Amino acid sequence: QVQLVESGGGLVQPGGSLRLSCAASGNLFSAYTMSWHRQAPGKQREFVAHITRTGTTSYTDSVKGRFTISRDNAKSTVYLQMNSLTPEDTAIYYCRREGGFWGQGTQVTVSA
């Protein structure tokens, strides 16, 4: 059974930073693409970033240059470093493992 547990969300002022973490259970973490998604109030869930097993990354346009996804295979953890946050980044952030496994989400609120 695969479990994904996100942490690191919270309230931050515009221009601030947060680092989200997603710890995965199960074997072979290093073999899977991991991704972050987010869902803002009243909107559909959207892709934010992914990182493949080889370390190739991809980002949605709105976060390019501000967010960085990374992984530590020894800790079975994927991270999302978020800088220069804006109120438009307010959402619940979800971690996903290739194969359709989702975490429970962590709330990020950007507000003065």
Side-chain angles (χ1 to χ4, degrees):
Q1 183 74 9
V2 176
Q3 289 189 326
L4 303 171
V5 180
E6 300 100 332
S7 61
L11 173 65
V12 63
Q13 292 187 341
S17 298
L18 283 174
R19 188 176 83 151
L20 306 182
S21 300
C22 172
S25 66
N27 295 325
L28 300 177
F29 172 83
S30 61
Y32 297 103
T33 292
M34 300 295 297
S35 57
W36 287 96
H37 304 253
R38 65 186 180 186
Q39 187 166 17
K43 295 186 177 182
Q44 290 188 335
R45 192 173 299 188
E46 65 171 355
F47 166 82
V48 175
H50 82 221
I51 184 166
T52 69
R53 61 183 181 88
T54 60
T56 300
T57 58
S58 177
Y59 301 90
T60 192
D61 286 346
S62 63
V63 309
K64 284 180 180 177
R66 300 189 299 122
F67 291 12
T68 302
I69 188 171
S70 61
R71 65 191 300 160
D72 184 337
N73 290 332
K75 296 182 178 179
S76 297
T77 300
V78 62
Y79 304 98
L80 186 68
Q81 177 67 44
M82 306 186 296
N83 299 328
S84 302
L85 286 161
T86 74
E88 289 68 38
D89 296 314
T90 294
I92 300 174
Y93 284 71
Y94 297 91
C95 172
R96 181 185 186 274
R97 200 209 79 174
E98 181 180 357
F101 299 93
W102 292 88
Q104 82 289 348
T106 185
Q107 176 71 48
V108 171
T109 302
V110 185
S111 175

